[in-house]
Amino acid sequence: NAGVTQTPKFRVLKTGQSMTLLCAQDMNHEYMYWYRQDPGMGLRLIHYSVGEGTTAKGEVPDGYNVSRLKKQNFLLGLESAAPSQTSVYFCASRLTTWGGRSSYNEQFFGPGTRLTVL
Amino acid sequence: SQQGEEDPQALSIQEGENATMNCSYKTSINNLQWYRQNSGRGLVHLILIRSNEREKHSGRLRVTLDTSKKSSSLLITASRAADTASYFCATDALSGSARQLTFGSGTQLTVLP
């Protein structure tokens, strides 16, 4: 199993450009998440999805859109990039949100995408 | 807002010593998890402790949870240089209609050989 993969690993954008980050998981997990991590800070939730075809806003959703057309993929879009969106973006997945087993509660993370907006 | 806050922000110890990191949080939780992040990598799950548990062990890791004080601690015993990483606590709680993890800002642990 590849686990959670992210594409691309690095990207440099100019202000106003658009791009899409792709997250893929092969563990048949229901839940998927997009986080951003800024220096000296923990992860902040951007958007999440509880299943195919559904998405919801997290803590810092402004400037981002997401789509979950297939269960295994979760896309994060930036329509008009701004320097404030310079960050490292992490995707994560989770089996489900309930269940007695610890494995139901653990999130599995991708390796991250380092995005710089000039 | 950050639910979990780690203390200290940075910790430097010698190999073989124990490392203790603390986490405080604000609201009721279902469970609390600790994650590790090596430089330039994604987070890796270390251990989970449920709200009705007080202590849990996994190898060299020991986690405690005090729900009355809304705090948790992670102890790494007999540390190794390979333990050098950032450690994050994450609280698992219901937010809106779904359970979410909320991460603290992390403790940067450096283990000197």
Side-chain angles (χ1 to χ4, degrees), chain A residues 21-34 47-56 65-77 91-96:
Chain A
L21 282 67
L22 171 64
C23 174
Q25 54 94 4
D26 60 2
M27 297 173 283
N28 202 34
H29 285 176
E30 290 293 333
Y31 275 58
M32 296 187 74
Y33 307 83
W34 275 108
H47 286 280
Y48 65 97
S49 168
V50 304
E52 183 178 320
T54 69
T55 63
N65 57 75
V66 288
S67 64
R68 183 104 180 264
L69 299 180
K70 294 183 180 180
K71 186 177 184 179
Q72 64 268 33
N73 295 337
F74 194 28
L75 279 64
L76 177 71
C91 175
S93 70
R94 178 175 182 167
L95 182 60
T96 185

Side-chain angles (χ1 to χ4, degrees), chain A residues 89-109:
Chain A
Y89 292 85
F90 288 98
C91 175
S93 70
R94 178 175 182 167
L95 182 60
T96 185
T97 59
W98 55 83
R101 293 169 52 189
S102 293
S103 61
Y104 291 165
N105 301 293
E106 173 186 349
Q107 286 191 14
F108 294 81
F109 283 82

Side-chain angles (χ1 to χ4, degrees), chain A residues 1 6 19 21 28 31 35 41 49 51 61 67 76 80 87 89 99 114 118:
Chain A
N1 286 350
Q6 293 183 231
M19 77 162 295
L21 282 67
N28 202 34
Y31 275 58
Y35 296 91
M41 298 184 69
S49 168
S67 64
L76 177 71
S80 180
S87 188
Y89 292 85
R114 187 173 295 275
L118 302 175

